[in-house]
Structures are given as C-alpha cells and as structure tokens.
Amino acid sequence: MLATFPDQQLTVRHLGGVRWGLLASAILLALIGLATIHSASSELALDYLPKQALRIVLGLVAFAIAFSLDYQVLAKFSVPIYAAAMFLLVLVLVIGSEAGGARSWLRVGAAQLQPSDIAKLATILLLARYLAGINRRFVRIPQILAACGITALPVLLVALERDLGGAAMFVPILAGMLLVSGVRWRVLVAGALVLLVLGALVWNFAMLDYQRTRVKTFLSPGSDPLNAGYQLQQSKIAVGSGMLIGRGYMQGTQSQLRFLPARHTDFIFAVLAEEWGFLGVLAVLVLFSSYIMNGFAVALRARDRTAILLVVGFLSLVSFHVVYNTAMVVGLVPITGIPLPFLSYGGSFIVANFIAAGLILGIDFRRYVNR
C-alpha cells in the first residue's frame, strides 16, 4: 500500500507540496482541547489530561499510518472493512457498555472503543468506491437508493444503541457525497420530504421519553430550567459571561464550580467561550475554517473521483460535527451527544479524526503518483 518513488529528492519535494496546514490546524485544535479539558476536569476526582494527551499521541500515530496507505487500495478493500465495522456495531449491541443512556461502547482491556466512529470512516470508504464507479453527470434514482442502503445499515445499528445523535451524523456524509456525485434538484426536494417523513416516524416510534424532552426543551427553553433545561441554561450563562476576552484560564464559574454538565465532552465549547471569550471562540473557528479550506483545496486538485469523494465525505463529517456542536451549545438546535472534533474528551473519536486527516493528506500526496 505504500507509495514508492525512484527519486528520493522528488519524494521530499512532493511532501513539501502537501497541504500541511490541515494537520497544523488539527494539532493546534487538539492542544487547545487538551488545555480546556484540564481546566474543565481539574476539579473532578480524576484529571483527564494525561489520558487525553496519550490519545492525541495515538491519534498522531494513526495519522502517520493512514497517510502511508494508498487510498485506491483501501477502496478495493472497502467491502470487508465496511463488513467488519458493521460486525462491531452488532457486537456492541450484545456486549457493549452503556454511558449517557446509550449502549455504544466496547471495552478493550482498560480502554473503550466506540464502533460508530469506525463505522463512519468505513461508510465513507464504501460510498466513495460505489459512487466513483458511476460514470454519469447525474446519479440515477436506483443508484441513490443503493447509496442510501449503504448508509442506512449503520444508521439503524447506531440508532438501536439509542445514540440517535450519532446515527444522524451519517446523513450529512451521504448528502455531501451525493451532491458531489451529481443530483438533480427535484431529487433533492424529494429527499428532503422523505427526511421529514422519517423524522416524524422517528419522533413517534424510535425516540425515548428523555430524547423527546430534549426537543421540547429546545422549543421552549424556559419551560423547565431546573431539570430538562438546566444544561442549556448553564451553557448559555457560560458562553455569555465570557464576553470579549473571557474570565481567564481556569477562572470560569460555570465550569470550575461544576454548574455545567458534560463540560469536558460535548459542552467543552462552552468552557472555552467562558474562559477565552469571543476572541478565543473566534480563534478556534478560524482553525476549523483552516482545516476545512485546506481539505477543499485537496479535493479541488485531486486527480480521480474516488479521491474527491473521500475528501468530501471526511470534510462533511467534521464540518457537520462542528456546526451542530457549536449550535447546540448556544441553544440553536436540540441537545444530543455530538462531540466537537479534536477538542472533546474521547479516545476513538479523536483517533478517528486524525485517521481522516491522514487519509486526506495521503490523497494530496498521491496526486503525483496517479499522473
């Protein structure tokens, strides 16, 4: 799978042409997340900083491995990779452990693995292989249904884990890759109507009471401020109190006095806003923008459809996580367990993010090989 070059100097020159700004943005975001996790968890019985630091190191190792792999070879093995990911999703339903109301974790020794993070990467890989093989300006309805089928299986399995937020994250991946493949407007409108119908069915038959309560609290934020609306109220206070320059590192009242739940995981953005204010939030959003723009540059100069679709799938995944998490923290969308890429505490999620970054830059490097 490794790329070989007869001229070592040429290889070094090609490495210099890779969009390394994407990796630099990812590392800076991870370091900011590390400092914020330390601040958010230092008052707990166990400081999470050492564990997260180790996970970042593992993520960088995973990045290097992913960078060295040829995406064309990975695409050829996309079916068994997808099958293995689906097996893990089934396995977690049988022997998985629960956290936050969802059975979505597998214990591997002292570590925990969330198979849905692996399933997202495997689904992108298989979708890229399938859609790249369609040699038409617009994909046809049967081909769209086949792509929906590839995505529907992990969505169903993750939803059975009672992780509806995680299941929903597959939808923007599919939408982004289909749009790049070529979809007629009338098909987009029909797809939006289907999603509305599916949303109504999920509301009536799939959502649990506490999940419906979250949506109702989003629609009426002040209806239950001490129970269902407590987390959102505390998050808004944290974000608002940061003002322009913030209260200072480890000086936030909502995080240090433990008013804000899930402050080192899904609501780490609120801690960041409270301690560093608008300027700190702006800096983080600039880094995310740099990551995404570098990724788009890789897609624009990629030399084949598989490469373009893979990059779009990975960027859709990261972008939607960022948009949803930041909107959730300020009350623009209902609260679900959607972490912030590179910043939130979590092992398999940050490793998966670095794998995606490695594959994107590996695609950029191999545009010279595929001439």
Side-chain angles (χ1 to χ4, degrees):
M1 289 187 182
L2 296 174
T4 57
F5 290 89
D7 187 336
Q8 194 171 15
Q9 289 184 342
L10 194 61
T11 303
V12 173
R13 187 160 62 84
H14 290 163
L15 281 172
V18 172
R19 304 286 299 201
W20 292 111
L22 184 144
L23 177 61
S25 301
I27 292 174
L28 285 173
L29 286 166
L31 293 177
I32 291 171
L34 191 64
T36 311
I37 286 169
H38 172 62
S39 173
S41 65
S42 60
E43 293 297 321
L44 300 174
L46 178 65
D47 189 346
Y48 291 118
L49 186 145
K51 280 188 176 180
Q52 189 68 5
L54 177 60
R55 289 163 176 174
I56 292 173
V57 173
L58 291 176
L60 289 172
V61 173
F63 167 88
I65 295 172
F67 181 82
S68 69
L69 299 176
D70 189 331
Y71 65 94
Q72 292 284 12
V73 178
L74 282 176
K76 289 180 182 175
F77 286 97
S78 57
V79 172
I81 292 173
Y82 177 84
M86 296 307 106
F87 173 75
L88 289 176
L89 288 179
V90 173
L91 195 63
V92 80
L93 292 173
V94 180
I95 61 171
S97 57
E98 288 194 20
R103 179 188 288 271
S104 56
W105 297 91
L106 280 177
R107 287 193 176 276
V108 184
Q112 283 191 322
L113 171 71
Q114 191 165 21
S116 60
D117 292 325
I118 300 172
K120 290 168 189 169
L121 301 181
T123 302
I124 292 171
L125 201 59
L126 185 56
L127 281 173
R129 177 185 175 182
Y130 175 71
L131 294 172
I134 301 172
N135 190 22
R136 298 175 59 91
R137 182 181 177 187
F138 295 106
V139 289
R140 301 169 63 185
I141 297 295
Q143 295 163 337
I144 293 174
L145 292 177
C148 290
I150 292 171
T151 312
L153 180 56
V155 167
L156 175 63
L157 292 172
V158 175
L160 289 175
E161 298 172 4
R162 291 178 289 180
D163 181 9
L164 291 183
M169 291 301 104
F170 286 85
V171 177
I173 294 172
L174 174 65
M177 297 178 77
L178 279 176
L179 281 174
V180 171
S181 299
V183 179
R184 298 182 189 278
W185 280 106
R186 59 176 180 268
V187 176
L188 287 176
V189 174
L193 293 175
V194 169
L195 282 178
L196 286 176
V197 173
L198 288 176
L201 293 174
V202 169
W203 173 269
N204 284 294
F205 301 109
M207 292 183 76
L208 301 175
D209 288 340
Y210 80 93
Q211 291 167 328
R212 292 196 189 96
T213 301
R214 286 179 174 179
V215 178
K216 292 175 181 175
T217 303
F218 161 69
L219 297 173
S220 180
S223 60
D224 191 9
L226 298 180
N227 293 299
Y230 177 79
Q231 192 168 18
L232 179 57
Q233 291 292 332
Q234 297 304 317
S235 176
K236 286 183 174 179
I237 292 171
V239 173
S241 62
M243 301 185 74
L244 181 62
I245 60 173
R247 291 178 176 272
Y249 186 56
M250 300 185 74
Q251 300 300 315
T253 55
Q254 305 311 110
S255 55
Q256 299 302 316
L257 300 179
R258 306 186 186 184
F259 288 117
L260 179 64
R263 53 192 172 275
H264 62 295
T265 53
D266 300 343
F267 280 78
I268 194 168
F269 191 73
V271 178
L272 183 83
E274 185 180 31
E275 296 187 345
W276 298 105
F278 173 77
L279 294 180
V281 167
L282 184 63
V284 167
L285 293 180
V286 167
L287 286 174
F288 274 122
S289 299
S290 171
Y291 181 96
I292 292 166
M293 294 306 294
N294 276 290
F296 269 121
V298 173
L300 287 173
R301 61 186 189 179
R303 294 179 177 274
D304 60 79
R305 283 172 59 83
T306 303
I308 294 170
L309 287 163
L310 280 173
V311 175
V312 168
F314 295 138
L315 292 182
S316 299
L317 174 63
V318 172
S319 302
F320 198 74
H321 265 269
V322 173
V323 170
Y324 197 98
N325 180 278
T326 53
M328 175 185 78
V329 165
V330 296
L332 295 178
V333 294
I335 293 176
T336 59
I338 303 300
L340 192 60
F342 299 108
L343 274 86
S344 291
Y345 179 79
S348 52
F349 184 58
I350 196 166
V351 171
N353 286 326
F354 273 112
I355 290 174
L359 290 173
I360 291 174
L361 292 188
I363 287 169
D364 200 28
F365 176 61
R366 282 170 179 76
R367 74 186 190 279
Y368 301 107
V369 180
N370 295 334
R371 281 180 176 175

